[in-house]
Amino acid sequence: QVQLVESGGGLVQAGGSLRLSCAASGSIFSINVMGWHRQASGKQRELVARITSGGSTNYADSVKGRFTISRDNGKNTVYLQMNSLLPEDTAVYYCHLANGWRNPLDYWGQGTQVTVSS
């Protein structure tokens, strides 16, 4: 069974930075997509950023220029560098894996809380 474990969340003041990490273990296919989603209190979950095993990235408009997603395929680990944090970034951040190319299977981490104080 695939398992995703996030780390790096916490409390930071506006303008600060955090780096989230997500390590995947188990049967990870070479072709996959990993990403970060977030859900703020009272709001729907939204895609923050994702990256393919080939290195192609996508970002939500709200984080472009501030967040950077990267990955280490050898470690099956994805990172989210978050700079210039805003109170609006406060949310639970979830790591996601779409495992495989044909009929990929979805896996989710347990979530890590990011709180940005004003």
Side-chain angles (χ1 to χ4, degrees):
Q1 175 72 356
V2 172
Q3 202 164 15
L4 304 176
V5 179
E6 302 107 327
S7 62
L11 175 65
V12 65
Q13 68 182 79
S17 298
L18 286 173
R19 187 166 108 133
L20 305 183
S21 299
C22 173
S25 61
S27 299
I28 311 301
F29 287 88
S30 297
I31 300 176
N32 61 70
V33 179
M34 298 187 73
W36 293 93
H37 299 67
R38 68 186 182 187
Q39 186 166 20
S41 180
K43 301 180 68 176
Q44 293 197 130
R45 185 179 62 189
E46 64 175 346
L47 173 69
V48 177
R50 60 184 169 190
I51 184 168
T52 70
S53 46
S56 297
T57 60
N58 297 98
Y59 295 92
D61 288 340
S62 59
V63 307
K64 286 180 180 176
R66 299 188 298 120
F67 292 9
T68 302
I69 191 169
S70 60
R71 64 185 293 164
D72 184 331
N73 289 339
K75 297 180 180 179
N76 288 319
T77 299
V78 64
Y79 307 93
L80 186 67
Q81 179 67 46
M82 304 185 293
N83 298 326
S84 302
L85 282 162
L86 302 169
E88 300 93 286
D89 296 316
T90 296
V92 177
Y93 285 70
Y94 296 93
C95 181
H96 173 256
L97 167 68
N99 195 24
W101 185 76
R102 290 186 298 274
N103 299 314
L105 299 179
D106 292 325
Y107 297 92
W108 294 90
Q110 81 286 349
T112 185
Q113 177 71 48
V114 171
T115 302
V116 183
S117 62
S118 60

